[in-house]
RNA sequence: UGGGGCGUCGUCAAGUGGUAAGACACAAGACUUUGACUCUUGCAUUCGUAGGUUCGAAUCCUGCCGCCCCAGCCA
């Protein structure tokens, strides 16, 4: 009877507001949220936080829905490839938008009408200043801006010009539609912001239908309104934009979603902006958006993370307004926690050291039964071949071990997991003095891993039969950067802090035969090493494993504290 | 020095006037055929800071200090 881990969703300030709104029957009790990505890159773990929040809230509230809407208002940066990837990622994370899939571009006609309405109300005008002039007229943080000389054009002239913009009569940059608000507002967003610009670029969905495109601020709040979103959840940097959204919505007298801002996710030892991730991809610092070192959803998926691990991670970190920087260990803990119960155990040796068991008959081979999970017998067992020559981990042997080391050393006895006790009798070295092989004896009475005389051994090691093991490549992944916050040093480029050891390819690994038969993407635990899965580049003859995460390693910690000992 | 936010354990984070939850990390111990898992214990006399109100303040008031965001025809 498996006991399912019950993990309740902690209530955060946004959920508290929404619960209160339901109590007050605001919006007739409807809860409609949305996840609004721009299709100009792949989703990352920071987006997962927003996805879990928006879709999570919809799922928690009876009748709640969450839309997936692509904010595709800038055709020069957006591509259909990203749309497909984003949909796949959201689905993979375990969320369902049902038939609520939208695009801001669905609303281009409507948005255009809204703009015309603003012009007719005398609340928007066509400005013919250049980009540089507009910047100049905008003023600074401490000085008010100045009115554009085009600010008082007549409604007729504005209508005419805007139609001309739409009809492609003008070149890019020659005119722009602006909201007429207040050039002296202390909030720069209110200083007559641009709402439509000329962009003679073909759009991934509307093709060449348009040569003017709405700005994000205009399109976003109105798209939310059109979709009848009740709660527009976004990150902190849009707090300053809220007064502008309020202005558009109020002036146009349309449905007014409630915007609530929360802090975006920051994770140690990585960067979290699409722009920077794009640089890593374009500069070939990583092998694509789905490089397992990238904290993109696709990278995490390829690395072997489970959707539940990511969801649990998002639940753990919470939602609040203060700036945050999460320990990488929280993410790591989330996968370990999710994989511990379901993952089968297998044996794989990353850095092999050969052992010859001298008293084991040369021509003998046997199959030993090994449990697939130490705590769950329902997960069964498998037969693993054993013979006179086996491999163990190089790090499991020390010629001159410290007291606390309870693995193999000269004259020491250890247990081979589910196999036999062996004792090291001789160490063979090469001409450089490196240990290349061990000679051992085994105790035939200890078959299965325990001795009838009750003799105890402290160390238990994983092993693979040299005759039967399958050669494999293993990719070890580590943090992408060497410093906690690669963006902290404003004088240096974040790429200066890339970790040269973020990917280590081990191509001399050997795994038990069954491990090579795994399904691609299937997570397993290599005993005493960590969780791994078969990479998509894997081939039956040459399996390639990705290390998802290591196991907790208390020994490594103890070892670290004893300098002079490696 | 304009405007908008935020300051509770190393890192996240509850707490909304009644005497500091939880998670990760860390430390010690138990168990162990994974130095894993699991379990037990410890870990903020104190909530940026200084005053004030109150029987009582992380919570209310005032001043100060610190951090983040905003001057794209990006989102």
């Amino acid at each position: 009877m498996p006991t399912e881990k019950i993990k309740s969703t902690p209530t955060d300030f946004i959920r508290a507001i929404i619960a209160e709104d339901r109590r007050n029957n605001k919006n007739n009790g409807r809860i409609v949220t949305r996840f609004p990505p721009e299709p100009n890159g792949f989703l990352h773990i920071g987006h997962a936080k927003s996805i879990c929040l928006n879709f999570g809230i919809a799922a928690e509230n009876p009748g709640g829905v969450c839309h997936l809407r692509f904010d595709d208002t800038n055709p020069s940066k957006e591509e259909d490839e990203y749309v497909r990837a984003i949909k796949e990622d959201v689905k993979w994370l375990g969320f369902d938008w049902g038939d609520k899939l939208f695009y801001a571009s669905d609303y281009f006609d409507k948005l255009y009408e809204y703009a015309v309405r603003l012009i007719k109300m005398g609340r928007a005008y066509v400005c013919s200043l250049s980009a540089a002039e507009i910047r100049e007229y905008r003023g600074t943080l401490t000085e008010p801006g100045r009115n554009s000389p085009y600010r008082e054009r007549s409604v007729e002239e504005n209508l005419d010009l805007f139609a001309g913009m739409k009809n492609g009569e003008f070149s890019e940059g020659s005119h722009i539609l602006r909201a007429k608000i207040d050039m002296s507002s202390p909030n720069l967003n209110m200083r007559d912001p641009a709402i439509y610009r000329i962009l003679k670029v073909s759009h991934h969905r509307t093709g060449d239908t348009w040569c003017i495109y709405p700005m994000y601020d205009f399109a976003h709040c109105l798209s939310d309104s059109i979709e009848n979103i009740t709660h527009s959840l976004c990150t902190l940097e849009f707090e300053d934009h809220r007064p502008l959204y309020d202005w558009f919505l109020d002036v146009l007298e349309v449905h007014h979603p409630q915007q609530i801002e929360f802090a975006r996710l920051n994770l140690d030892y990585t960067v979290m902006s699409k722009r920077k991730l794009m640089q890593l991809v374009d500069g070939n610092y990583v092998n694509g958006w789905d490089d397992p070192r990238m904290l993109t959803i696709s990278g995490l998926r390829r690395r072997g993370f489970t959707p539940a691990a990511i969801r649990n991670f998002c639940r753990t970190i919470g939602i609040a307004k203060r700036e945050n920087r999460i320990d990488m260990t929280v993410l790591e803990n989330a996968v370990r926690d999710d994989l511990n119960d379901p993952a089968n155990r297998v044996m794989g040796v990353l850095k092999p050291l050969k052992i010859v068991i001298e008293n084991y008959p040369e021509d003998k081979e046997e199959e030993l039964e090994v449990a697939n999970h130490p705590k769950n017998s329902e997960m069964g067992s498998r037969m693993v071949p054993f013979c006179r020559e086996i491999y163990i981990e190089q790090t499991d042997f020390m010629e001159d071990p410290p007291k606390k080391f309870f693995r193999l050393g000269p004259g020491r006895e250890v247990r081979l997991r589910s196999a036999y006790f062996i004792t090291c009798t001789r160490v063979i070295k090469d001409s450089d003095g490196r240990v290349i092989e061990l000679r051992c004896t085994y105790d035939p009475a200890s078959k299965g891993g325990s001795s009838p005389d009750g003799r105890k051994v402290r160390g238990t090691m994983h092993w693979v039969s040299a005759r039967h093991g399958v050669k494999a490549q293993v990719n070890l992944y580590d943090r992408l950067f060497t410093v906690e916050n690669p963006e902290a040093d404003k004088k240096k480029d974040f790429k200066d802090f890339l970790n040269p050891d973020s990917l280590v390819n081990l191509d001399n690994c050997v795994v038990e035969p069954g491990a090579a038969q795994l399904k691609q993407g299937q997570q397993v635990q290599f005993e005493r090493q960590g969780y791994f899965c078969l990479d998509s580049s894997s081939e039956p003859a040459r399996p390639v494993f990705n290390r998802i995460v290591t196991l907790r390693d208390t020994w490594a910690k103890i070892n670290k504290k004893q300098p002079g000992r490696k």
Side-chain angles (χ1 to χ4, degrees):
Chain A
M1 191 86 202
T3 49
E4 197 173 327
K5 286 181 188 170
I6 307 293
K7 287 169 177 167
S8 60
T9 302
T11 167
D12 50 70
F13 80 100
I14 293 178
R15 278 181 244 253
I17 290 170
I18 288 175
E20 180 65 14
D21 287 348
R22 287 194 98 235
R23 225 169 286 127
N24 296 332
N25 205 36
K26 188 176 170 183
N27 300 303
N28 297 313
R30 285 167 44 248
I31 303 295
V32 187
T33 56
R34 104 266 99 130
F35 173 62
E38 183 192 13
N40 68 341
F42 279 54
L43 261 25
H44 54 64
I45 185 84
H47 293 107
K49 177 177 180 180
S50 173
I51 292 167
C52 289
L53 213 218
N54 281 293
F55 281 95
I57 284 172
E60 291 154 22
N61 286 280
V65 285
C66 179
H67 299 182
L68 174 61
R69 183 184 68 244
F70 289 94
D71 269 341
D72 52 352
T73 55
N74 186 354
S76 57
K77 291 184 176 178
E78 296 151 7
E79 292 171 28
D80 215 49
E81 177 207 349
Y82 297 128
V83 171
R84 284 196 304 272
I86 289 167
K87 288 201 279 197
E88 187 187 351
D89 288 347
V90 174
K91 225 180 282 176
W92 178 77
L93 274 175
F95 298 105
D96 182 11
W97 55 83
D99 59 351
K100 307 298 184 190
L101 172 65
F102 305 109
Y103 297 81
S105 53
D106 292 340
Y107 314 132
F108 280 175
D109 285 314
K110 184 122 193 174
L111 261 9
Y112 181 79
E113 282 170 35
Y114 280 139
V116 170
R117 247 162 78 188
L118 286 179
I119 294 172
K120 287 182 176 163
M121 285 187 268
R123 303 288 210 140
Y125 63 98
V126 173
C127 180
S128 308
L129 253 22
S130 70
E133 288 167 326
I134 285 184
R135 194 179 316 126
E136 226 179 286
Y137 274 74
R138 186 155 33 226
T140 68
L141 293 178
T142 50
E143 300 157 29
R146 284 140 49 218
N147 284 168
S148 161
Y150 303 99
R151 202 174 198 257
E152 300 308 327
R153 288 216 253 232
S154 68
V155 169
E156 289 67 33
E157 191 184 358
N158 282 139
L159 250 17
D160 187 52
L161 252 14
F162 189 46
M165 284 168 64
K166 183 195 179 199
N167 295 332
E169 292 163 21
F170 307 117
S171 58
E172 285 189 15
S174 58
H175 303 285
I176 190 171
L177 186 70
R178 293 227 254 169
K180 191 193 281 191
I181 307 181
D182 177 8
M183 287 307 291
S184 65
S185 171
N187 181 344
L188 299 247
N189 293 122
M190 302 299 271
R191 318 243 262 226
D192 291 11
I195 58 184
Y196 260 96
R197 80 288 215 188
I198 300 169
L199 239 36
K200 300 200 168 170
V201 178
S202 121
H203 185 280
H204 73 111
R205 294 191 74 242
T206 61
D208 296 318
T209 307
W210 297 87
C211 64
I212 56 171
Y213 293 93
M215 297 291 293
Y216 170 85
D217 279 338
F218 184 70
H220 184 80
C221 62
L222 287 166
S223 296
D224 279 354
S225 174
I226 290 166
E227 291 180 15
N228 265 304
I229 302 299
T230 57
H231 301 269
S232 299
L233 313 180
C234 64
T235 42
L236 254 27
E237 67 270 28
F238 293 106
E239 219 150 13
D240 282 343
H241 296 237
R242 183 155 30 92
L244 175 57
Y245 302 160
D246 291 344
W247 188 91
F248 283 134
L249 268 9
D250 291 345
V251 169
L252 289 166
E253 297 181 289
V254 292
H255 166 68
H256 199 143
Q258 178 183 2
Q259 173 167 302
I260 308 170
E261 306 85 5
F262 62 95
R264 64 189 322 150
L265 167 67
N266 295 295
L267 246 188
D268 274 354
Y269 298 101
T270 190
V271 291
M272 202 70 77
S273 84
K274 272 193 277 186
R275 216 194 95 245
K276 290 192 168 107
L277 294 176
M278 174 97 69
Q279 283 185 54
L280 297 177
V281 173
D282 289 348
N284 292 312
Y285 295 97
V286 296
N287 305 313
W289 284 101
D290 69 342
D291 187 303
R293 291 169 290 178
M294 296 271 275
L295 293 185
T296 50
I297 305 300
S298 52
L300 291 164
R301 175 170 58 233
R302 182 165 178 184
R303 174 134 162 198
F305 272 66
T306 55
I310 295 173
R311 280 187 250 117
N312 291 343
F313 168 75
C314 291
R315 195 201 47 245
T316 302
I317 60 175
I319 298 287
K321 292 194 77 162
R322 65 184 87 96
E323 292 291 331
N324 59 79
R325 170 152 236 104
I326 310 289
D327 275 1
M328 196 58 102
T329 56
V330 180
L331 218 210
E332 293 174 347
N333 184 261
V335 232
R336 289 194 194 106
D337 191 47
D338 191 53
L339 257 20
N340 181 43
D341 286 347
N344 273 147
R345 272 56 173 171
V346 299
M347 292 192 285
V349 175
L350 269 28
K351 294 179 181 168
L353 173 61
K354 191 173 184 182
I355 286 183
V356 176
I357 302 166
E358 294 186 308
N359 61 339
Y360 194 94
E362 183 92 45
D363 56 355
K364 184 177 175 184
E365 288 180 5
E366 60 186 317
E367 300 248 302
L368 299 169
E369 183 176 12
V370 183
N372 290 329
H373 196 288
K375 297 248 169 125
N376 185 358
S377 56
E378 284 177 19
M379 289 169 74
S381 62
R382 63 196 187 281
M383 301 309 287
V384 181
F386 184 86
C387 69
R388 180 179 158 96
E389 296 92 31
I390 59 163
Y391 291 116
I392 64 158
E393 210 67 58
Q394 284 171 21
T395 50
D396 281 341
F397 172 80
M398 278 184 98
E399 203 178 0
D400 179 22
K403 272 196 208 76
K404 289 211 168 171
F405 184 85
F406 40 82
R407 276 110 98 146
L408 202 56
R412 289 189 178 212
E413 183 172 50
V414 298
R415 169 167 41 234
L416 293 178
R417 173 105 231 224
S418 302
Y420 295 100
F421 286 4
I422 57 167
T423 303
C424 178
T425 53
R426 192 149 57 94
V427 180
I428 298 173
K429 300 179 184 177
D430 64 10
S431 53
D432 296 327
R434 276 193 301 260
V435 177
I436 53 169
E437 186 181 310
L438 262 25
R439 294 293 168 135
C440 296
T441 56
Y442 85 117
D443 173 5
S446 64
K447 183 168 178 176
S450 56
S451 171
D453 64 11
R455 184 162 96 247
K456 297 286 182 209
V457 292
R458 189 67 202 273
T460 299
M461 293 158 23
H462 57 101
W463 52 273
V464 173
S465 160
R467 252 178 244 169
H468 312 269
V470 178
K471 286 261 186 217
Q473 186 189 113
V474 172
N475 302 136
L476 303 182
Y477 301 108
D478 198 359
R479 41 192 61 155
L480 239 191
F481 294 90
T482 54
V483 295
E484 276 188 18
N485 184 2
E487 295 158 291
D489 190 337
K490 300 293 179 207
K491 293 188 192 104
K492 285 193 174 175
D493 186 84
F494 73 101
K495 295 193 291 300
D496 293 345
F497 301 105
L498 247 4
N499 176 8
D501 300 320
S502 60
L503 169 59
V504 174
N505 293 108
L506 262 26
D507 45 22
N508 195 31
C509 311
V510 43
V511 299
E512 63 172 78
Q517 315 296 327
L518 286 165
K519 222 172 61 207
Q520 200 172 89
Q522 181 62 55
Q523 297 88 351
V524 290
Q525 183 192 104
F526 281 11
E527 289 213 40
R528 307 205 305 133
Q529 301 280 357
Y531 294 96
F532 294 75
C533 75
L534 225 41
D535 185 69
S536 50
S537 68
S538 201
E539 284 168 33
R542 186 69 173 168
V544 178
F545 288 93
N546 291 326
R547 185 174 68 193
I548 305 164
V549 67
T550 62
L551 255 28
R552 274 205 194 81
D553 191 348
T554 309
W555 167 244
K557 256 186 258 169
I558 296 168
N559 207 19
K560 227 178 196 169
K561 286 182 196 163
Q562 301 179 344
R565 219 74 226 206
K566 78 166 197 41

